[in-house]
Amino acid sequence: MQHAIKLEIKRLARQVLERRSQAEQSKHNYRERFEKRTGLKALISQKNEIPALTDRHFDPVYCARNANFLAKTLWHKVLERTYAPEPAICYRIKKPSGGYREVMAFSIPDAALANVVFRRTRDRNIKRFSPFSYAYHPGRNVLDAVLEIMEHDFEEKTFVVQIDFKKYFDSIPSRYLKEKLADSERIRVTPQERYVFEQFLRHAYYDGTTGNGTPLLKRRHKGTPQGASVSLFLANLANHDLDVSLTRAGGSFVRFADDVVALCTTYSQAQDIERCFFEHCRRSGLTLNVEKSPGIAILSECPKEMKTISHFDYLGFRFTLGGMTIPEKTVSKLKSKISRLINLYLLHYLKDGFNSERCGIRPYIYDWDLLGLICELRRGLYGGLAEEQITDFLQKNVRLPRMKGLMSFYCLLDDPEPFRSLDGWMLSMVRRAMKTRSRLLLNNYQHECPQPSNRALATGLWLDSRAWRGSDCPCAQMPSFVRGWRAARKHLHTFGLKDVAALSGNSSADNADLFDMPYLF
């Protein structure tokens, strides 16, 4: 165990160093981009460092050099029952649906111990958890959960039961989790592992500062510590009894963390399933979110006496009797994200200044900001694959090295119509933004830029490659939702879900908040 902790400390230290290096490079790239586009000198922002981060256990260099000593000390404290995680740093991340999610940043040694304990307990108990629980499971992801739903025979009368928990990760009672950890018939954990879990359930954390600038120290009394890997195991454990009850109730169900959908063919079964949720909440202390819980409904195109729905949304997909599609909420988020990128690349910097070398129409037509936007959109849709790679795969069967990006996530969809609509919208938005860009440049800087048509954008013919000074001119062709979907579908039918990246890690889809993907835009 001590050796495993040492190796994990070294791995996490390298990871932190890489992230810091990437953050510095990102800041440098931003300053360079600002200066190139505006011709002005970029100012360097000065952020006050969180006092707790000066602790040497948050220092990756110190932890890497002293990994053996730290691992030995850490494990000795666990054996002697004197271990407690050092106070974590509480970060609040805004949710798309409103409110904030609290994420804890633990010191490197504490995070290493949590990772080792999580992996060992997960692997030891993986056969004990329900096969219909898809989150935090090695070798499974969101697409496996979606495939399970697709196996249901929707030609029969289908009752859909959807129940939502209120602040699931933040509100799981600690006493219930401790009770489950102590249940040797349901779960197998060593006394040392149980002790580590219990310490993380009551860890201290810094949450802002007092009036005189002193860090405000608090302690957890309920919920799981999001940000520590032990939280993943505890979140599954908290709903394990629910999985058992739903299996006995009949029908079929899929659970991804706290997102559950159950399908059955009779109303009595649907009532039994609903009772399983109520009983589980009574025993565990969890609370149902009444406002976001649709309850029982019949999946049908025709209104009936009881509650009828024409579709239900789950994990970023919309399920209907005619097949699957994309929810309007997801389409709206996509458009918002793309609109933001268009504004950032083509219009945002013009209010500060303008570098006349960024675009022109004489002697060659070019616009490096537009080209940058196209490359960024392609990276989001194709996950870093080049346009040439997509074309060669579709036309010449040249195998792709991987299948990533937004379109890999939607490889299970049969109908490309939503993507055709998005392609037309994206072309139109870029063309209109270029018109606005041209007007601003003429009025404010007496400079001209290209105003390509939809066809020129779609084919890439708007750019004169002679304007490029490097060896290989990047592809100026706009990426396509449909083209990416075709490649993803072909990859699915040829190789299955192997090498298809659905989401980052095993995190929940969070109501199709796909922009958590690190490679998306």
Side-chain angles (χ1 to χ4, degrees):
M1 189 72 169
Q2 181 181 318
H3 181 67
I5 296 172
K6 180 186 75 172
L7 294 179
E8 187 65 14
I9 289 175
K10 289 184 175 181
R11 188 187 72 83
L12 290 180
R14 287 195 302 269
Q15 206 174 68
V16 172
L17 285 171
E18 288 173 4
R19 282 202 299 265
R20 289 185 180 180
S21 176
Q22 291 170 359
E24 287 301 317
Q25 185 62 44
S26 178
K27 290 178 183 177
H28 172 75
N29 292 342
Y30 177 82
R31 290 194 295 267
E32 189 178 61
R33 198 160 54 236
F34 178 86
E35 291 171 0
K36 279 184 178 180
R37 292 175 180 176
T38 64
L40 303 175
K41 187 68 176 176
L43 300 177
I44 299 177
S45 64
Q46 299 292 336
K47 287 188 176 180
N48 295 327
E49 188 174 21
I50 299 173
L53 288 180
T54 59
D55 187 290
R56 60 186 182 178
H57 288 173
F58 283 89
D59 180 2
V61 176
Y62 171 83
C63 291
R65 288 175 178 172
N66 299 276
N68 189 51
F69 165 74
L70 291 171
K72 183 178 180 180
T73 304
L74 208 61
W75 187 238
H76 177 74
K77 287 183 177 180
V78 171
L79 294 176
E80 294 295 318
R81 296 294 195 274
T82 59
Y83 168 76
E86 294 189 27
I89 313 297
C90 179
Y91 293 95
R92 284 184 170 80
I93 301 174
K94 194 171 183 178
K95 293 182 180 180
S97 57
Y100 292 88
R101 178 185 292 112
E102 290 186 351
V103 177
M104 302 294 163
F106 287 88
S107 70
I108 293 174
D110 290 328
L113 176 63
N115 288 353
V116 172
V117 169
F118 164 67
R119 286 196 292 264
R120 295 200 172 197
T121 52
R122 179 199 63 188
D123 294 345
R124 190 185 307 121
N125 293 281
I126 198 165
K127 298 292 185 182
R128 291 173 172 264
F129 284 133
S130 169
F132 303 109
S133 172
Y134 289 86
Y136 325 126
H137 195 297
R140 292 185 176 186
N141 58 36
V142 173
L143 298 183
D144 294 300
V146 173
L147 282 172
E148 180 65 31
I149 296 176
M150 292 173 64
E151 291 296 318
H152 181 81
D153 185 5
F154 287 98
E155 292 185 2
E156 294 186 34
K157 180 188 287 186
T158 299
F159 290 85
V160 181
V161 185
Q162 282 185 289
I163 303 293
D164 188 73
F165 295 104
K166 190 173 184 179
K167 295 183 177 181
Y168 177 71
F169 292 94
D170 297 329
S171 62
I172 304 174
S174 296
R175 57 95 188 155
Y176 179 73
L177 289 171
K178 291 178 181 179
E179 176 187 318
K180 295 294 109 181
L181 286 169
D183 188 353
S184 58
E185 294 184 2
R186 291 289 177 91
I187 205 75
R188 293 290 173 89
V189 294
T190 66
Q192 293 81 16
E193 290 166 347
R194 185 181 303 115
Y195 174 75
V196 171
F197 279 120
E198 290 175 353
Q199 292 305 305
F200 273 94
L201 283 173
R202 57 184 302 274
H203 72 91
Y205 61 95
Y206 292 108
D207 187 15
T209 57
T210 60
N212 59 5
T214 305
L216 186 60
L217 191 63
K218 295 183 180 180
R219 185 169 293 278
R220 178 176 298 280
H221 296 289
K222 64 177 180 177
T224 61
Q226 293 189 73
S229 53
V230 293
S231 176
L232 311 180
F233 183 83
L234 293 171
N236 256 358
L237 181 61
N239 267 341
H240 178 61
D241 286 352
L242 175 63
D243 294 341
V244 174
S245 300
L246 291 175
T247 302
R248 292 172 179 167
S252 60
F253 77 96
V254 170
R255 182 172 67 81
F256 197 95
D258 60 327
D259 293 326
V260 190
V261 63
L263 306 173
C264 54
T265 55
T266 66
Y267 184 63
S268 60
Q269 274 185 333
Q271 288 179 308
D272 290 341
I273 290 170
E274 191 175 49
R275 276 193 290 270
C276 289
F277 283 95
F278 295 146
E279 182 63 19
H280 179 62
C281 287
R282 186 185 67 79
R283 291 180 178 177
S284 67
L286 289 166
T287 306
L288 294 182
N289 191 333
V290 179
E291 295 178 357
K292 293 185 178 180
S293 296
I296 302 175
I298 298 177
L299 186 64
S300 173
E301 298 292 346
C302 305
K304 300 182 184 278
E305 291 184 4
M306 71 170 292
K307 183 178 178 181
T308 305
I309 55 174
S310 59
H311 62 267
F312 66 93
D313 297 339
Y314 188 64
L315 300 179
F317 290 85
R318 171 159 293 179
F319 297 85
T320 71
L321 290 175
M324 290 194 304
T325 185
I326 310 178
E328 289 93 347
K329 182 179 179 181
T330 303
V331 173
S332 177
K333 288 182 180 180
L334 279 170
K335 289 183 176 181
S336 175
K337 188 72 174 182
I338 293 172
S339 297
R340 178 181 173 275
L341 283 175
I342 291 172
N343 179 69
L344 182 64
Y345 272 84
L346 303 181
L347 305 174
H348 175 73
Y349 291 96
L350 297 183
K351 71 179 186 300
D352 297 311
F354 174 68
N355 182 353
S356 60
E357 295 182 1
R358 297 299 297 170
C359 64
I361 60 173
R362 297 183 187 87
Y364 310 121
I365 298 177
Y366 69 96
D367 192 321
W368 304 139
D369 293 334
L370 175 57
L371 183 61
L373 170 66
I374 290 172
C375 292
E376 187 79 0
L377 290 170
R378 183 181 298 117
R379 187 168 66 93
L381 296 186
Y382 302 164
L385 294 173
E387 200 71 54
E388 184 180 4
Q389 290 176 299
I390 295 289
T391 302
D392 287 346
F393 177 59
L394 290 173
Q395 298 179 2
K396 303 176 185 177
N397 294 320
V398 178
R399 183 166 182 173
L400 296 172
R402 63 192 178 282
M403 195 65 232
K404 275 187 166 184
L406 176 68
M407 301 321 298
S408 71
F409 184 76
Y410 283 114
C411 63
L412 297 176
L413 294 187
D414 295 321
D415 185 10
E417 188 55 40
F419 303 128
R420 291 196 183 97
S421 176
L422 281 168
D423 275 342
W425 173 86
M426 185 166 63
L427 279 173
S428 176
M429 286 295 293
V430 173
R431 177 179 55 80
R432 288 159 57 190
M434 287 302 295
K435 283 189 175 182
T436 304
R437 176 178 171 87
S438 176
R439 185 176 68 253
L440 290 174
L441 287 176
L442 278 173
N443 293 340
N444 299 338
Y445 304 102
Q446 293 73 54
H447 192 83
E448 293 182 283
C449 73
Q451 296 188 51
S453 64
N454 284 359
R455 181 179 179 80
L457 286 169
T459 58
L461 296 177
W462 64 270
L463 174 64
D464 191 330
S465 59
R466 291 174 295 180
W468 183 256
R469 298 172 186 173
S471 55
D472 296 318
C473 182
C475 178
Q477 182 180 5
M478 280 283 291
S480 164
F481 282 89
V482 171
R483 200 156 49 246
W485 171 82
R486 287 179 57 208
R489 288 289 290 178
K490 183 174 180 178
H491 192 278
L492 173 68
H493 291 310
T494 307
F495 306 108
L497 288 176
K498 183 182 178 182
D499 298 328
V500 173
L503 282 177
S504 171
N506 250 332
S507 60
S508 169
D510 192 25
N511 295 323
D513 186 17
L514 304 176
F515 309 125
D516 285 339
M517 296 165 129
Y519 45 76
L520 183 58
F521 304 129

